[in-house]
Amino acid sequence: MFWGLHGLAILWGGIGYYSSWFPAAGVRLALFWRFGSRLTPAAAITEIAVQLLRGIVSLDDPEWFYAAARVASPVVAYGIAVALVRSVSHRSEGSLATAPMPLGLASVAAPLTAVAFASPWSVLRPDFTEVANVREVIASLTAFAVGDMLGVLLVAPPLLYAAALMNGTASLPRHFPRGGHVVEAVIVLAIALALVATLATIGLGLPATPVLLAIAWIGLRFGRAAAWASIVVTALLVLPRTAGTMPIDQRLALHMSLAAVAVVGYLAGSFADAETRALAAVARRDRMLFQAERLKTLRAMSVAVIHEISQPLSTLSIEARHLAEISRGADPEIRDTAALIERKTATLSTLVRRLRRFGGRAVDEPSLLPIAGLLDSVQALARPEATMAGVAIRVATVDPDLAVIAQEVELAQALVNLVRNAVQACDDNLVEIDVAREDDTVSIAVTNRCRNRPAGHDGMGVGSLVAKAIVDAHGGRLTRAQTGPALTTYVVTLPLAGDLA
């Protein structure tokens, strides 16, 4: 692939060593963004090998090492730029940290970083880049930046989307864009292109401003995919015209205009998509808060109902026990009936006590909570759904001395959510819950085996988000790990009670 793309770039050969459209840069960025900067050494070796085969680098040259380093420097620059953008986006908040904005930033930062790495070669060894003076150095570096940006913005997005489709992390759109939106985008772009053509006809050149504003509008209105499609349409009109024998200064001017259009349009579309995702996250959080308020109201109602039931039930339990005692010498049928009434009453009393423990006033305050008792409650709550799904829940033996300071209802809800997710995803009918002590913390691991990607199921998909929020509120952390072939584990880590006493 690199061989063919390097050969294709010759048609748009820029001033000096660089091409003013370099599609291999798009493949390079897509690989680094998909697999990480750890791919940098392999990519550098691959591109050096391509240039060896094409004769750009020759082992017979006494300075072949410097020539190879010149080829590898932009590859290293891309790896560093991608790593920096990912690091900054992970630490940031807001639109800049919301996909696909980081990719848009990397698409601009990587070519500029590559130019910075190439600058010393152009200044100190102009013979490598075939330039003779300062003007040509500046022009060659400009062609480098423009060519890489165009290659990245035209080639990387479809490659990454195709990889996401193959990996299952993206899906084809379920619905085509609305007809009105398509018509609006086509009309806006057509008017801009017609205006540029009119200005060129009357001798005013080929200004990029109309197309730039049009594609920025399309990106902000309809997102990154629409912006990229508009950029491709514009590029298909420009690139065939600039290939071949066009004067280099004219080609560079047109490609600079096209690069400006591509950068502005792609960033505008990325920003629009990031804002859409951020708004969706806010709406989802609002739904969660509304659900929490409803649960709080329901709990208050249940406390009142439990209070009304518990008093007569206590009397009924005493009387049932008394009835069982005095009927021991009676007719077997009466004795058995009295014993049944006592058992049912005892079961009902146990249920009411559990409900009072979950719904009483003490639940609002953190208290000492044994891990063993917590897992017993979680298993009891999750077992009915697991049984219906044909899944067994296996809980490891727990040290009775392990305890945390927590709100039992909330923490039990977090673990139940994780167990439910594991039940829905597992394919060997077994979910395991293990507990381990690590210094001053205790870890609760929920593990399931899933050899195949689980099919989607109904729901908002907020169970793990709720669990993470609850665990964070208790001073802990929730992490996910692949602990073995097809094994998925969610680990809740909490400080032991001794740290908070």
Side-chain angles (χ1 to χ4, degrees):
M1 177 182 288
F2 276 107
W3 172 279
L5 294 178
H6 277 271
L8 181 64
I10 295 175
L11 297 174
W12 290 271
I15 297 174
Y17 174 74
Y18 306 111
S19 170
S20 55
W21 185 50
F22 191 57
V27 178
R28 182 192 301 156
L29 181 77
L31 288 174
F32 288 165
W33 193 260
R34 177 68 179 83
F35 299 105
S37 298
R38 63 181 181 275
L39 204 64
T40 300
I45 293 172
T46 300
E47 296 209 27
I48 291 173
V50 168
Q51 298 295 30
L52 280 170
L53 293 174
R54 295 184 64 247
I56 302 298
V57 178
S58 175
L59 296 179
D60 296 330
D61 187 346
E63 296 187 318
W64 68 268
F65 177 80
Y66 297 102
R70 176 196 63 192
V71 172
S73 66
V75 182
V76 175
Y78 270 60
I80 292 174
V82 168
L84 287 176
V85 169
R86 283 198 177 277
S87 176
V88 171
S89 65
H90 288 162
R91 298 177 183 178
S92 302
E93 296 180 357
S95 298
L96 291 180
T98 304
M101 200 64 191
L103 175 58
L105 295 177
S107 300
V108 177
L112 295 180
T113 306
V115 169
F117 274 56
S119 298
W121 294 106
S122 297
V123 174
L124 300 177
R125 295 299 303 267
D127 54 310
F128 278 169
T129 52
E130 304 171 7
V131 293
N133 52 55
V134 175
R135 178 181 177 278
E136 290 188 357
V137 168
I138 295 174
S140 68
L141 292 177
T142 303
F144 183 11
V146 169
D148 271 33
M149 282 188 186
L150 289 177
V152 165
L153 293 172
L154 292 175
V155 175
L159 289 180
L160 289 171
Y161 183 60
L165 287 176
M166 291 169 41
N167 191 45
T169 56
S171 58
L172 293 172
R174 297 180 179 179
H175 307 287
F176 288 103
R178 295 180 181 178
H181 292 173
V182 174
V183 170
E184 178 184 340
V186 170
I187 290 175
V188 169
L189 184 59
I191 291 174
L193 293 173
L195 181 57
V196 172
T198 302
L199 294 174
T201 301
I202 62 178
L204 295 180
L206 293 170
T209 303
V211 179
L212 187 148
L213 293 176
I215 294 182
W217 170 269
I218 292 171
L220 291 173
R221 282 275 290 148
F222 309 119
R224 183 177 51 156
W228 181 81
S230 302
I231 293 168
V232 169
V233 171
T234 306
L236 290 175
L237 296 175
V238 174
L239 291 178
R241 179 175 178 176
T242 59
T245 58
M246 171 177 272
I248 292 176
D249 55 344
Q250 294 182 22
R251 175 190 296 144
L252 183 57
L254 283 174
H255 281 218
M256 287 180 64
S257 298
L258 181 58
V261 168
V263 169
V264 171
Y266 195 77
L267 288 180
S270 298
F271 178 79
D273 284 356
E275 284 293 299
T276 300
R277 292 193 180 192
L279 290 174
V282 170
R284 183 173 56 184
R285 185 180 61 185
D286 289 343
R287 292 196 300 269
M288 291 169 57
L289 292 174
F290 176 71
Q291 184 181 17
E293 287 297 322
R294 291 185 62 186
L295 290 175
K296 186 176 180 180
T297 302
L298 181 60
R299 189 177 68 182
M301 294 173 60
S302 66
V303 169
V305 173
I306 291 169
H307 178 73
E308 294 296 326
I309 292 176
S310 59
Q311 197 66 27
L313 183 61
S314 177
T315 303
L316 178 61
S317 179
I318 294 172
E319 295 298 331
R321 191 179 306 114
H322 179 65
L323 177 61
E325 290 177 354
I326 65 175
S327 62
R328 288 176 182 173
D331 183 86
E333 184 176 354
I334 296 176
R335 185 179 65 247
D336 293 343
T337 301
L340 177 62
I341 293 173
E342 182 189 14
R343 288 197 304 272
K344 294 296 184 181
T345 305
T347 302
L348 188 56
S349 297
T350 301
L351 176 61
V352 169
R353 283 197 300 271
R354 178 175 291 178
L355 290 174
R356 290 192 64 173
R357 180 159 53 90
F358 276 93
R361 294 181 180 178
V363 78
D364 292 328
E365 297 296 331
S367 58
L368 187 65
L369 176 61
I371 297 297
L374 172 65
L375 294 185
D376 286 343
S377 298
V378 169
Q379 188 176 22
L381 291 169
R383 185 184 292 114
E385 182 174 343
T387 302
M388 290 181 63
V391 176
I393 300 175
R394 180 187 298 166
V395 180
T397 303
V398 182
D399 184 347
D401 294 332
L402 292 179
V404 296
I405 300 296
Q407 294 175 325
E408 183 174 3
V409 174
E410 283 77 3
L411 196 54
Q413 182 63 60
L415 291 172
V416 167
N417 287 354
L418 298 179
V419 172
R420 289 186 63 200
N421 290 345
V423 167
Q424 293 170 348
C426 76
D427 57 10
D428 66 346
N429 300 325
L430 178 63
V431 172
E432 296 180 284
I433 304 177
D434 296 307
V435 178
R437 178 171 183 167
E438 301 174 5
D439 298 327
D440 296 328
T441 63
V442 60
S443 298
I444 304 171
V446 180
T447 303
N448 68 278
R449 181 179 298 276
C450 180
R451 299 181 183 86
N452 303 310
R453 178 170 295 275
H457 48 269
D458 294 336
M460 295 187 295
V462 298
S464 58
L465 293 177
V466 172
K468 185 179 186 306
I470 293 173
V471 173
D472 290 346
H474 282 78
R477 64 182 183 274
L478 174 62
T479 57
R480 179 182 183 275
Q482 293 295 133
T483 54
L487 285 178
T488 300
T489 300
Y490 279 88
V491 181
V492 174
T493 305
L494 297 165
L496 286 170
D499 295 335
L500 301 176

